[in-house]
Amino acid sequence: EAGTFGKAMKDIDARATHRTAAVLAMSAATVAATCGHKDGVWGASPRIVSSICNQLIKIFEGHSAVQLKPPLLRPRGVYHHAIGGPAELMNKGGVVLLLPEDLTVNFARSIGRGGGAISRIKRYDIDKVYHKSFSDGHPRESLEASFDIVYEDAQTKGNFFEAEVIMVLCQVMAILKTQMGEKIQVFKNLPLISPCWYIRLTHTKLADAILDVCGVPPDDSIRQ
């Protein structure tokens, strides 16, 4: 009887696993049919996306950040085309406007227009960004998260805020668990162990240090 009971429990566990996989697959297929393609993600499960977003919000708000959304549109100006370029639209007056291609540009523009009213703030946002369609159809969509610190105080060193941003990044990476110990061949003769991440840091001091190592003279006219 014990053996029969154990076999029955294994059958129930197997069926439960298959049902769970079927539900997740159905959700992914439903999203793909409803929302279409999102920059390399075909039908991401809404449950998984919602769970990740909720964890991101907890991390951001744990650092006293508030959610702020800048104006959606901005006028087209002189810009360098990225891959595909930003998505454009035209209003009734014939003015060409741009949809946000990231969550930083419009917010930075709002800070410049707001003056001293936006001088001390920690802000986050999780929203869609848009890029021009390769087939001139509906813009390509991506889900993006942004965490920003704006603090204008001559007595406070910016290094503290840079360290806090790096800490937020580490907390975010910690929730994206992957299979540990898996070997990844990214570079030739350099096998890496997962999890493996690419982190892009933009800082003038880093750029100057790289140019110093390369032997570029410290002349602004040359380095620019």
Side-chain angles (χ1 to χ4, degrees), residues 198-219:
Y198 289 99
I199 302 177
R200 296 182 179 179
L201 299 177
T202 55
H203 200 292
T204 54
K205 291 183 179 179
L206 290 175
D208 287 337
I210 294 173
L211 293 175
D212 289 338
V213 172
C214 295
V216 179
D219 188 348

Side-chain angles (χ1 to χ4, degrees), residues 6 38 42 68 81 85 90 127 133 158 168 170 190 196 218-219:
K38 294 185 178 181
W42 289 90
L68 289 178
H81 287 277
M90 182 180 295
D127 206 347
S133 172
V168 171
C170 294
L190 183 60
C196 177
D219 188 348

Side-chain angles (χ1 to χ4, degrees), residues 165-184:
V165 172
I166 294 176
M167 181 178 179
V168 171
L169 176 62
C170 294
Q171 291 176 321
V172 170
M173 293 171 62
I175 69 174
L176 302 177
K177 297 179 180 179
T178 59
Q179 185 176 356
M180 300 296 293
E182 181 182 356
K183 290 187 177 181
I184 304 175

Side-chain angles (χ1 to χ4, degrees), residues 67-117:
Q67 186 175 23
L68 289 178
K69 293 183 178 292
L72 178 66
L73 303 174
R74 74 176 191 273
R76 184 177 65 177
V78 179
Y79 59 87
H80 299 285
H81 287 277
I83 299 176
E88 303 175 344
L89 54 86
M90 182 180 295
N91 62 12
K92 291 182 179 180
V95 179
V96 178
L97 303 173
L98 301 180
L99 289 169
E101 71 272 24
D102 58 48
L103 300 179
T104 303
V105 176
N106 288 10
F107 178 65
R109 189 168 181 267
S110 299
I111 293 175
R113 299 175 66 183

